[in-house]
Amino acid sequence: MPTPRLTIPVPTDFLLHRDSCSYGYFLLAPNHWHPGDRRLDRALHLPGGPALVRVRQPGPADCPLRPKPGSPLDVRSDRPLSAADRAAAVALVTRMLRLDESRDSIRAFHALDPRWRRTGEGRLCRSPSFFEDVVKTVTSCNVGWPSTVGMNRRLCEAFGEKTPSGVHTFPTPSRLARQRPAALRGRCGVGYRDARIVELAKMFARGRLGSHPVAWYEDPATPDDALREALIELPGIGPYAAANIMQLLGRYTLLPLDSESVRHGRTVLGMTGPAASIMKRVARHFEPFGEHRFRSYWFELLGFYASKRGKPWTWKRDEVGATFTAAKF
DNA sequence: GGTAGACCTGGACGC
DNA sequence: GCGTCCAGGTCTACC
């Protein structure tokens, strides 16, 4: 029987507000975090058509905004969901919130870097699809954060599908693959990234990225070195983007070094000198964290942002989106 | 292999 | 309100 409601079990350490607001993508359309009632809204492509899901993790009756870790997610949709819709929604939310990342993986990270054991931080949110993660990464290159926010919002508005409540999904590869680059540039303000995004969309729509099937990139058995090499061959993907995509694929060995890494080296780690030298020293600084070094690096950055603006789950998307840039710290 | 400059947008700044 | 400058990662041409 179609119903607009479902429950999703989570790992015993999972906290929605902490773990869904753990990476900047939670601020990018079509994601919408509501700090007031600690709810994540997200428009999804489901077998029966687009639907908006509202994800909450209810706490006890006397304290509904303070769930116990591991409490199941309460998901409500803006339309009834068939069995196929429900199965797809569970799979997409699972990828987004990394519900399939084991507690052992989080424990291994905390064993190497105990600074995050008390808070329990370790999961990094991502997109419901590999394609969206790649496009979001491309839109984050060579621009400040407000531009990334704008590009993703306009991509959804121009080429996403509307759910019954009027929220747009993220565009599918096949939809973007059919566009002329000039349409993306004109309607979404993606600038010179236009042809690169369309080319990536065509590759995803065909099921092959460069010389490998899409599944090869998501396969945990694919060696890190081969994966990085293949990613860098893709249009719009350089060393920074490849390292970022790798962490989104659950490989935390590389650091996506950028201007923000230099800012962190200077203001938090007390490094001085030219940017290129600081980047190398930041990379060396995190080497002791081995295969979890990105998580150590990122949660250090996130802690710095939190010291300036409060915990991420208190950030309002539209306010933070307009003003949040590393250069301001 | 390393480096310089173009790419495009939006924010900051000066007037 | 307008014009100019600048930041940001990738790509290409060139040495």
Side-chain angles (χ1 to χ4, degrees):
Chain A
M1 193 67 181
T3 162
R5 199 170 167 185
L6 68 150
T7 300
I8 302 180
V10 299
T12 54
D13 64 322
F14 184 85
L15 279 173
L16 179 68
H17 62 279
R18 180 194 65 201
D19 295 331
S20 66
C21 303
S22 55
Y23 195 59
Y25 289 5
F26 85 96
L27 295 164
L28 298 179
N31 300 322
H32 195 168
W33 173 257
H34 298 268
D37 52 357
R38 295 191 172 184
R39 185 185 90 222
L40 180 66
D41 287 2
R42 166 75 205 201
L44 295 172
H45 293 280
L46 300 178
L52 177 75
V53 295
R54 299 186 173 94
V55 183
R56 294 178 63 250
Q57 187 180 35
D62 59 336
C63 213
L65 293 183
R66 292 198 174 276
K68 288 183 181 163
S71 302
L73 302 178
D74 175 51
V75 179
R76 300 181 191 214
S77 168
D78 63 352
R79 67 166 174 79
L81 302 177
S82 66
D85 287 331
R86 291 154 65 86
V90 169
L92 294 170
V93 170
T94 295
R95 185 184 198 280
M96 234 182 132
L97 301 177
R98 304 216 200 213
L99 302 179
D100 50 356
E101 180 147 32
S102 71
R103 276 205 73 171
D104 286 346
S105 161
I106 306 295
R107 283 198 190 103
F109 166 51
H110 291 162
L112 213 52
D113 191 346
R115 291 178 295 171
W116 320 110
R117 188 179 288 145
R118 187 184 59 79
T119 62
E121 288 163 293
R123 285 189 171 76
L124 290 150
C125 78
R126 57 181 173 176
S127 303
S129 74
F130 179 32
F131 172 67
E132 186 179 327
D133 274 339
V134 170
V135 174
K136 279 187 158 53
T137 299
V138 170
T139 63
S140 74
C141 290
N142 201 26
V143 285
W145 183 248
S147 295
T148 304
V149 171
M151 283 185 235
N152 280 277
R153 179 175 49 78
R154 291 187 294 263
L155 278 168
C156 295
E157 288 169 356
F159 301 113
E161 289 181 69
K162 257 189 187 179
T163 71
S165 52
V167 179
H168 290 86
T169 59
F170 195 80
T172 60
S174 56
R175 181 79 195 273
L176 287 186
R178 292 196 300 272
Q179 306 306 318
R180 286 181 298 112
L184 263 72
R185 182 180 296 224
R187 298 177 67 183
C188 311
V190 299
Y192 65 87
R193 299 162 197 80
D194 56 358
R196 297 172 190 175
I197 293 173
V198 170
E199 190 54 37
L200 285 166
K202 285 179 178 171
M203 291 180 178
F204 271 93
R206 284 196 299 263
R208 286 189 77 83
L209 290 174
S211 51
H212 301 281
V214 170
W216 179 85
Y217 291 80
E218 300 187 275
D219 184 350
T222 300
D224 279 3
D225 290 347
L227 180 60
R228 180 178 183 277
E229 202 175 306
L231 285 169
I232 283 187
E233 289 297 310
L234 301 177
I237 309 298
Y240 162 81
N244 192 57
I245 292 168
M246 287 185 68
Q247 70 85 4
L248 292 164
L249 288 169
R251 298 159 187 263
Y252 306 112
T253 307
L254 298 178
L255 299 185
L257 294 168
D258 60 359
S259 56
E260 179 58 1
S261 317
V262 176
R263 195 277 314 150
H264 188 71
R266 288 197 172 116
T267 61
V268 176
L269 304 177
M271 296 173 179
T272 55
S277 157
I278 290 179
M279 274 206 194
K280 287 179 186 165
R281 279 181 283 157
V282 168
R284 278 203 301 275
H285 178 83
F286 287 96
E287 272 176 15
F289 301 108
E291 63 182 36
H292 296 284
R293 70 187 74 162
F294 175 77
R295 294 204 263 209
S296 290
Y297 164 78
W298 177 251
F299 285 113
E300 221 176 89
L301 256 66
L302 199 58
F304 176 75
Y305 301 149
S307 73
K308 302 288 179 186
R309 290 180 174 268
K311 292 292 188 185
W313 54 86
T314 66
W315 300 351
K316 291 179 181 168
R317 182 183 74 168
D318 298 329
E319 290 175 12
V320 174
T323 61
F324 188 93
T325 60
K328 293 200 171 179
F329 291 123

